[in-house]
């Protein structure tokens, strides 16, 4: 009897457990279908920093933050790349790069060793509008950091040997930049939107770099790095009174200078949409950028523009991303942004898409740009945009470096004294009407500059209906004839013969390397192989158009898979062109060579 009761109890327990488990499973499934309610917003309060000005005009901003025994320093100047002399593009960037390469009391190595001994970091960088010397260290080394920063700013010597090395590295970096589609697109967009204004210059040329001299750097330092054009921002575990005493001891003797008021050309007025294509023959993707002039950093419309941009393209839940990636699968991501500078700014929408869908992607871009102008956003879109922007802002200020950077922007762009304290209130005050208004005002599809980096032969037929004004350039910025693209092979002269073994010599940063191409041509299509001292590869997706040969070779260099884009011109038995690798840091490699005679297959040049 007892055994029977136990069995009944066991069966009842198992049944009850099964019912409960089923109920729990159902409840969990319902929970997964319903998003949890958002948490109440946490209050964000940040005190205003202490500000003062030294007799020499140096503004000092101190924010005491005792959470960690660390201090962040920024010595920020309201001069940048746009202040380069007209005949010395790149001088500001060279100046900042050379500040830690030697002073009157320390060599470059001694500076590096002393910084390392302190466990600190000190660097200098130039942007369009500003030049910033940054440092970070434990709070007990504040005196040492000030001593080093002062030495770098007031006593640089710009040694000839270090300058020669800088110039060599800068020229090599320029070569690498020209292999990057993003750089080529940015270069063209800047030229188109800013015309002759200094904002149009994104990089110096090799000739500009070679003109930089020690004498120019010394004179430019005396002119640009003056205390009455600078702000020293200090954030961290400091005692204000002690800190101000140290600042006076280190920077008080810095002599005031004369700040020149520079006049810049007016920005060009646009009347129609234009298309600019940077030709990269054989490229399997197109880098699309659509841009127009917009707002400067301290424009009163800044906050409505932030909210509007969050809706259209600032993140993975925005309209452009959801359309071009999630709905159509054209790209890994499509975005928009506002580049706001002191004197002007621009709007850009961007994506990297597969070459065959370039035109279709452009159609969707214009659909979304027009939609945000002509249709009010929804209440949910507005609410989500505000929630993101107000939620992420405190996170940016949580770290010491993040807070320091916010204070630097506030000072350099002359933002209101309560900018950080009222940021979230101003975001929350934006209305749907304001979103629509700024979209109409600052996004101009009918006057937009369309820049596409990719295979012009494939791109132009897809996009030519979007503008009557079309320009084509090569990667070096040389103008190409639009009429030369899209021709049948027969109308452009006889198709070149790519068959055979080609012994080429590649110029790899001064070294001559042999590369052998073995090609088999069938009409316009070409297949084959690549053989070099670095490895072997298979050539695919290759073709001949007129006397142009383009193809992609997949190989392996030092265990890393690398894709090589081969772009050559065939003239009889001679071929000349450029090989571009997908490996980061490797610049475009020029090559030239000839077709091997029957029975000949050895490379024409051995490595030196």
């Amino acid at each position: 009897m007892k055994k029977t009761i136990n069995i009944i109890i066991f069966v009842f327990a198992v049944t009850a457990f099964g019912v409960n488990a089923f109920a729990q499973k159902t409840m969990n499934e319902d929970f997964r279908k319903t998003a949890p309610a958002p948490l109440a917003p946490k209050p964000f309060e940040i005190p205003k920093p202490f500000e003062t000005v030294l007799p020499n005009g140096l503004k000092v901003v101190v924010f005491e933050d005792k959470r960690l025994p660390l201090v962040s320093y920024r010595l920020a100047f309201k001069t940048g790349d746009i202040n380069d002399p007209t005949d010395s593009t790149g001088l500001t960037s060279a100046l900042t790069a050379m500040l830690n390469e030697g002073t009157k009391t320390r060599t470059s190595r001694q500076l590096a060793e002393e910084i390392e001994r302190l466990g600190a970091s000190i660097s200098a960088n130039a942007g369009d509008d500003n030049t910033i010397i940054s440092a970070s260290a434990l709070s007990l080394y504040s005196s040492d950091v000030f001593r080093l920063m002062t030495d770098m700013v007031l006593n640089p010597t710009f040694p000839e040997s270090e300058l020669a090395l800088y110039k060599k590295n800068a020229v090599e970096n320029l070569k690498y930049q020209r292999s990057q589609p993003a750089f080529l697109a940015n270069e063209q967009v800047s030229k188109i939107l800013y015309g002759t204004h200094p904002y149009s210059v994104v990089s110096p040329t090799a000739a500009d770099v070679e003109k930089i001299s020690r004498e120019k750097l010394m004179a430019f330092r005396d002119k640009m790095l003056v205390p009455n054009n600078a702000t020293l921002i200090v954030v961290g575990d400091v005692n204000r009174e002690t800190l101000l005493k140290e600042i006076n001891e280190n920077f008080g003797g810095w002599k005031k200078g004369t700040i020149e008021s520079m006049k810049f050309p007016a920005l060009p007025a646009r009347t129609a949409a234009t298309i600019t294509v940077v030709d990269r023959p054989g490229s399997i993707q197109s880098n699309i950028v659509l841009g127009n002039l917009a707002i400067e950093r301290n424009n009163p419309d800044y906050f409505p523009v932030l909210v509007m941009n969050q809706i259209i393209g600032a993140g993975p839940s925005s309209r452009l991303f959801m359309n071009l990636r999630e709905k159509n699968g054209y790209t890994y991501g499509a975005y928009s942004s506002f580049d706001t500078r002191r004197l002007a700014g621009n709007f850009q929408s961007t994506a990297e898409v597969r070459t065959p869908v370039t035109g279709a992607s452009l159609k969707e871009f214009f659909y979304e740009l027009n939609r945000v102008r002509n249709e009010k956003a929804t209440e949910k879109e507005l609410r989500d945009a505000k929630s993101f922007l107000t939620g992420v802002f405190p996170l940016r200020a949580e770290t010491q470096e993040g807070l320091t950077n916010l204070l630097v922007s506030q000072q350099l762009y002359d933002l209101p004294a309560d900018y950080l304290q009222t940021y979230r209130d101003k975001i929350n005050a934006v209305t749907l009407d304001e979103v629509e208004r700024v979209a109409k005002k600052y996004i101009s599809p009918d006057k937009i500059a369309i820049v596409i980096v990719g295979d012009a032969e494939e791109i132009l037929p897809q996009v030519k209906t979007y503008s009557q004004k079309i320009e084509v350039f090569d990667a070096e910025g040389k103008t190409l004839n639009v009429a030369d693209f899209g021709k049948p092979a027969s109308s452009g002269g006889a198709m070149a013969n790519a068959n055979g073994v080609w012994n080429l010599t590649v110029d790899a940063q001064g070294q001559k390397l042999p590369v052998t191409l073995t090609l088999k041509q069938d009409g316009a299509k070409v297949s084959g192989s690549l053989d070099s001292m670095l490895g072997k590869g298979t050539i695919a997706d290759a073709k001949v158009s007129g006397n142009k040969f383009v193809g992609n070779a997949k190989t392996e260099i030092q265990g890393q898979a690398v894709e090589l884009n081969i772009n050559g011109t065939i003239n009889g038995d001679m071929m000349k062109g450029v090989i571009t690798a997908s490996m980061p840091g490797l610049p475009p490699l020029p090559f030239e060579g000839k077709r091997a005679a029957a029975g000949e297959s050895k490379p024409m040049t051995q490595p030196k």
Side-chain angles (χ1 to χ4, degrees):
M1 181 68 176
K2 185 177 180 180
K3 183 177 180 180
T4 302
I5 293 173
N6 287 340
I7 291 174
I8 293 172
I9 293 172
F10 174 76
V11 171
F12 177 79
V14 169
T15 303
F17 175 79
V19 172
N20 288 337
F22 175 77
Q24 183 67 40
K25 180 174 181 293
T26 303
M27 186 172 66
N28 287 342
E29 287 177 349
D30 289 341
F31 179 77
R32 286 195 297 267
K33 292 177 182 177
T34 305
L39 297 174
K42 291 185 178 180
F44 174 67
E45 296 181 0
I46 180 171
K48 291 182 181 179
F50 169 82
E51 296 185 8
T52 188
V53 179
L54 301 188
N56 62 4
L58 176 65
K59 186 176 183 179
V60 177
V61 178
V62 181
F63 189 99
E64 297 182 57
D65 182 2
K66 305 290 186 179
R67 292 176 296 176
L68 295 170
L70 295 171
V71 185
S72 294
Y73 313 82
R74 298 291 188 275
L75 183 57
F77 299 85
K78 289 183 178 179
T79 50
D81 290 330
I82 64 170
N83 300 100
D84 284 343
T86 53
D87 62 340
S88 298
T89 300
L91 196 59
T92 301
S93 292
L95 173 68
T96 55
M98 291 290 295
L99 285 178
N100 64 350
E101 298 297 348
T103 70
K104 293 177 182 178
T105 59
R106 297 174 178 85
T107 64
S108 173
R109 180 173 180 175
Q110 288 171 333
L111 272 171
E113 288 176 347
E114 191 161 354
I115 292 169
E116 184 177 6
R117 179 181 63 80
L118 298 173
S121 65
I122 302 180
S123 61
N125 293 284
D128 286 315
D129 296 319
N130 310 302
T131 298
I132 301 175
I133 298 164
S134 307
S136 177
L138 290 171
S139 53
L140 67 134
Y141 296 128
S142 282
S143 298
D144 300 282
V145 170
F146 280 139
R147 183 165 41 83
L148 291 171
M149 290 179 71
T150 306
D151 200 21
M152 288 170 56
V153 174
L154 302 185
N155 305 311
T157 54
F158 308 113
E160 292 285 4
S161 59
E162 299 290 352
L163 178 58
L165 181 60
Y166 166 79
K167 290 162 73 169
K168 181 180 178 181
N169 290 337
V171 170
E172 291 302 322
N173 185 55
L174 292 176
K175 295 178 182 178
Y176 170 69
Q177 283 181 333
R178 299 224 154 266
S179 70
Q180 303 304 300
F183 171 83
L184 298 175
N186 186 33
E187 180 180 56
Q188 289 296 334
V189 169
S190 298
K191 287 180 179 179
I192 294 166
L193 297 184
Y194 293 108
T196 57
H197 192 283
Y199 282 157
S200 67
V201 180
V202 299
S203 176
T205 65
D208 292 326
V209 173
E210 294 298 342
K211 288 192 297 184
I212 296 171
S213 67
R214 181 177 179 275
E215 291 71 27
K216 286 184 177 180
L217 289 170
M218 292 294 288
F220 198 56
R221 191 227 72 84
D222 294 340
K223 176 182 176 182
M224 305 306 291
L225 302 188
V226 293
N228 45 316
N229 189 40
T231 302
L232 177 63
I233 298 110
V234 183
V235 179
D237 183 17
V238 295
N239 176 276
R240 186 200 303 173
E241 299 303 322
T242 303
L243 181 73
L244 290 175
K245 182 180 178 182
E246 290 182 338
I247 291 173
N248 270 293
E249 290 174 352
N250 285 277
F251 295 99
W254 190 3
K255 292 183 179 179
K256 184 182 292 189
T258 302
I259 304 173
E260 292 185 9
S261 178
M262 298 187 69
K263 293 183 179 180
F264 299 109
L267 302 176
R270 294 182 57 80
T271 58
T274 59
I275 296 176
T276 301
V277 177
V278 181
D279 186 30
R280 297 182 82 233
S283 178
I284 60 175
Q285 76 174 26
S286 297
N287 283 53
I288 300 174
V289 180
L290 292 88
N292 58 248
L293 291 174
I295 65 170
E296 67 280 8
R297 179 61 183 84
N298 58 4
N299 190 295
D301 284 332
Y302 180 76
F303 289 100
V305 162
L306 272 187
V307 176
M308 183 268 291
N309 186 61
Q310 189 64 39
I311 291 171
I312 187 174
S317 62
S318 301
R319 291 179 178 183
L320 286 171
F321 192 98
M322 297 302 292
N323 183 332
L324 275 84
R325 172 174 169 152
E326 297 300 318
K327 178 183 175 182
N328 289 297
Y330 293 154
T331 176
Y332 285 115
Y335 303 95
S336 66
S337 62
F338 281 82
D339 182 5
T340 56
R341 313 180 197 184
R342 181 178 294 124
L343 304 178
N346 66 76
F347 165 78
Q348 291 187 15
S349 50
T350 63
E352 299 173 2
V353 306
R354 292 175 286 115
T355 300
V357 298
T358 304
S361 299
L362 208 54
K363 178 182 177 182
E364 298 306 323
F365 267 116
F366 275 97
Y367 168 75
E368 295 297 352
L369 296 184
N370 283 303
R371 184 161 75 102
V372 77
R373 286 166 45 88
N374 300 327
E375 297 178 16
K376 265 193 172 63
T378 66
E379 289 286 354
K380 182 180 184 306
E381 286 179 315
L382 180 66
R383 184 171 60 252
D384 289 348
K386 289 181 178 181
S387 177
F388 175 83
L389 291 170
T390 56
V392 78
F393 182 74
L395 298 179
R396 292 168 58 196
E398 268 193 354
T399 65
Q400 191 178 97
E401 284 293 297
L403 175 58
T404 305
N405 291 333
L406 288 172
L407 290 170
V408 169
S409 294
Q410 182 180 9
Q411 294 295 326
L412 288 177
Y413 291 103
D414 300 317
L415 303 179
D418 63 351
Y419 172 75
L420 300 182
Q421 290 74 24
T422 60
Y423 180 95
R424 296 209 296 182
D425 292 337
K426 290 179 179 177
I427 289 291
N428 283 323
V430 175
T431 65
L432 285 174
D433 287 338
E434 286 182 298
V435 168
E436 183 182 33
R437 176 182 64 80
V438 295
K440 289 180 182 293
K441 187 173 182 180
Y442 299 116
I443 298 179
S444 307
D446 59 329
K447 300 175 186 176
I448 210 155
I450 305 166
V451 175
I452 307 174
V453 181
D455 190 337
E457 191 75 30
E458 301 291 334
I459 291 170
L460 288 173
Q462 301 181 53
V463 304
K464 60 184 179 181
T465 58
Y466 287 92
S467 176
Q468 294 182 344
K469 184 179 179 182
I470 301 176
E471 293 181 301
V472 182
F473 297 89
D474 65 11
E476 299 299 321
K478 179 183 175 182
T479 303
L480 303 178
N481 189 353
V482 178
D484 290 342
F485 296 90
K487 289 182 177 180
S490 58
S491 66
M495 182 184 296
N497 174 20
N499 277 307
V501 177
W502 294 87
N503 292 325
L504 310 175
T505 301
V506 173
D507 184 355
Q509 297 180 326
Q511 288 196 347
K512 306 297 183 182
L513 303 179
V515 173
T516 300
L517 301 182
T518 303
L519 304 179
K520 183 178 180 181
Q521 184 173 348
D522 181 10
K525 296 182 179 179
V526 180
S527 59
S529 62
L530 173 146
D531 190 2
S532 75
M533 63 183 298
L534 297 177
K536 298 183 178 182
T538 301
I539 295 176
D541 300 322
K543 63 182 179 181
V544 173
S545 177
N547 67 340
K548 302 289 185 183
F549 166 74
V550 294
N552 294 298
K554 295 182 178 179
T555 186
E556 193 174 278
I557 298 177
Q558 298 178 344
Q560 180 178 344
V562 177
E563 185 170 296
L564 303 175
N565 176 256
I566 307 168
N567 177 15
T569 300
I570 299 173
N571 185 8
D573 289 331
M574 303 298 295
M575 187 189 299
K576 185 177 181 180
V578 175
I579 296 176
T580 306
S582 62
M583 178 181 287
L586 193 63
L589 304 174
F591 72 82
E592 61 181 13
K594 66 178 183 178
R595 193 192 330 252
E600 179 188 359
S601 62
K602 292 182 179 179
M604 56 186 289
T605 304
Q606 295 298 325
K608 296 181 180 179

